[in-house]
Amino acid sequence: MSSDQRIPVAVLGATGSVGQRFIQLLEGHPWFRVAEVAASDRSAGKCYAVATEWRLTAEMPESARGLKVKDLGEELTSPIAFSALPGDAALEVEARLAKAGHAVLSNASAYRMDPDVPLVIAEVNPDHIRGVERQKANKDWAGYIITNGNCSAIHLTLTLKPLYDAFGIDAMLVTTMQAVSGAGYPGVPSLDMIDNVVPYIGTEEEKMQEEARKFLGSYDGGFKPADFGISAHCNRVAVRDGHTECVSIRLKQPATPAEAIEAFETFRGRPQELDLPSAPKRPIIVRHENNRPQPNLDRDVENGMASTVGRVRECPVLGLKYVLLGHNTVRGAAGASILNAELLKAEGLLPV
Ligand SMILES: NC(=O)c1ccc[n+]([C@@H]2O[C@H](COP(=O)([O-])OP(=O)(O)OC[C@H]3O[C@@H](n4cnc5c(N)ncnc54)[C@H](OP(=O)(O)O)[C@@H]3O)[C@@H](O)[C@H]2O)c1
């Protein structure tokens, strides 16, 4: 596809942590080009390069620098809107855009548990995208909202999916060590993070518990959550990017560590079948060293789009345990939305 045929997209909240990641990942995308950016009143009216404190190691893409930041009240012309807005702003803005006919692909929590809104990981529950037809009818919207999950829930669920399919899941405990960038910028004050672990991230545990069950649930004219027990402990640690999670799990049909490793390593989903542009070749990477995964060694594997699993071993209480790691602003946010948009396009569900 030549560049002038690419689908124009808008990025909402484009100046923030996730918004910047969208701008970076969409640069040179074969199907989409960033045509509009929008953010708060603080940024509206300025050009993107002036409004944005760019904090990624790669340079700000030249094509984004001169875009004028729109106010969220302004009309958008792009058929697709990627949203990296805070939840409260997303509630009103995303519904208004969906009503007007846009496909909204959101990172915000506002609509994730709405009974009409698909919560999708492209490898885990691609069939849930069919829920947009019911959403449009029920809400009387010309467009729709599809959400991706909480950053920790996405990586957890990506690793649960092969276990769920092969052995069934009865119950699990998960303890996270989440990077500071997960709180946006400036996020947690530096004096709270240095020499410290903060054992509380507001509403994070509830999100992980609810979202994992919705992702792994079924869609048959309505979303039915999967039936297993899950308890999450969420902690903020002094890591820049990359969430680490320790999982202990009781499977319905017990599996040895070797069987679990085989399920992780052979797992492939719809994005790999369709060879979508942002799909990792291997959605789950297994490391066999005793001291992996680690955030600063493993978060960028498969361009940040895979989850890395390690220390797969027996758990004396629940049967099996392992550690997982994933990039929070790539596969845990912007990259997940972009992959969902690619899936929608491949399945003929984009409004273009
Ligand atoms: N960070 C992560 O790892 C992560 C992962 C998954 C999901 N999420 C979700 O993604 C969303 C964005 O998170 P973030 O970490 O990128 O946050 P952030 O760094 O604080 O960025 C927020 C963005 O939204 C804009 N904004 C803030 N208040 C607004 C308002 N009232 N009206 C319009 N625009 C407003 C900001 O614009 P200005 O620059 O103009 O203020 C900025 O562009 C949140 O819903 C978050 O829960 C984040």
Side-chain angles (χ1 to χ4, degrees):
M1 212 182 250
S2 72
S3 65
D4 53 6
Q5 289 175 315
R6 292 183 301 166
I7 300 167
V9 303
V11 178
L12 317 178
T15 51
S17 300
V18 175
Q20 293 184 26
R21 195 59 82 177
F22 270 118
I23 299 296
Q24 182 202 29
L25 294 175
L26 287 165
E27 173 68 2
H29 193 282
W31 297 352
F32 308 128
R33 71 180 166 85
V34 178
E36 296 168 289
V37 289
S40 77
D41 296 347
R42 184 192 69 77
S43 310
K46 298 176 185 163
C47 72
Y48 185 70
V50 172
T52 306
E53 284 271 359
W54 187 257
R55 295 191 179 274
L56 301 181
T57 44
E59 288 292 310
M60 178 186 287
E62 207 49 49
S63 55
R65 298 186 69 83
L67 291 174
K68 188 181 143 224
V69 179
K70 292 195 165 184
D71 180 280
L72 285 161
E74 284 177 59
E75 277 197 10
L76 296 178
T77 55
S78 304
I80 302 173
F82 289 112
S83 171
L85 292 173
D88 46 357
L91 198 62
E92 185 274 320
V93 173
E94 292 179 1
R96 175 161 46 80
L97 291 173
K99 186 165 195 209
H102 300 271
V104 180
L105 287 110
S106 176
N107 283 274
S109 58
Y111 289 99
R112 287 182 197 151
M113 296 309 294
D114 185 303
D116 286 327
V117 174
L119 175 70
V120 176
I121 300 172
E123 286 91 345
V124 171
N125 57 341
D127 55 313
H128 287 204
I129 62 176
R130 291 183 295 119
V132 297
E133 295 305 338
R134 179 167 166 269
Q135 179 192 132
K136 287 162 80 171
N138 283 356
K139 296 194 186 282
D140 197 19
W141 288 347
Y144 57 78
I145 299 173
I146 287 196
T147 54
N148 38 289
N150 165 278
C151 36
S152 294
I154 291 177
H155 285 288
L156 171 68
T157 313
L158 200 50
T159 69
L160 293 179
K161 171 70 173 169
L163 301 179
Y164 185 75
D165 287 351
F167 312 110
I169 295 175
D170 189 23
M172 86 192 69
L173 301 173
V174 53
T175 300
T176 69
M177 288 156 276
Q178 299 183 216
V180 185
S181 65
Y185 189 84
V188 187
S190 55
L191 284 179
D192 288 344
M193 280 321 311
I194 296 169
D195 188 29
N196 210 8
V197 172
V198 180
Y200 174 70
I201 306 174
T203 71
E204 197 82 352
E205 294 173 352
E206 294 80 0
K207 285 177 189 160
M208 286 190 77
Q209 290 162 186
E210 289 179 335
E211 293 176 20
R213 295 179 64 229
K214 184 168 178 180
F215 281 129
L216 288 168
S218 56
Y219 177 73
D220 186 12
F223 299 104
K224 184 165 176 257
D227 184 16
F228 54 77
I230 170 168
S231 174
H233 301 258
C234 295
N235 304 286
R236 188 74 71 195
V237 297
V239 166
R240 184 187 169 115
D241 290 311
H243 293 348
T244 304
E245 308 181 29
C246 296
V247 180
S248 285
I249 187 163
R250 185 165 62 225
L251 300 169
K252 285 196 167 140
Q253 181 194 320
T256 63
E259 288 168 331
I261 287 170
E262 192 189 348
F264 290 135
E265 286 186 324
T266 55
F267 174 62
R268 302 289 183 272
R270 190 82 180 121
Q272 287 73 36
E273 265 172 47
L274 294 168
D275 199 18
L276 298 176
S278 302
K281 296 280 174 254
R282 295 168 300 161
I284 301 173
I285 311 289
V286 179
R287 301 292 316 199
H288 296 273
E289 304 90 324
N290 277 338
N291 61 356
R292 303 285 280 272
Q294 294 181 19
N296 66 18
L297 297 177
D298 296 306
R299 63 192 164 210
D300 293 326
V301 67
E302 293 272 9
N303 298 319
M305 288 297 286
S307 300
T308 301
V309 162
R311 304 215 62 224
V312 185
R313 61 211 192 277
E314 284 180 11
C315 169
V317 178
L318 294 180
L320 185 77
K321 57 184 173 178
Y322 61 94
V323 181
L324 72 99
L325 168 85
H327 201 302
N328 51 298
T329 62
V330 183
R331 188 52 197 256
S337 277
I338 294 169
L339 189 60
N340 282 348
E342 293 169 1
L343 176 70
L344 288 161
K345 179 177 183 302
E347 304 288 10
L349 284 170
L350 280 185
V352 282

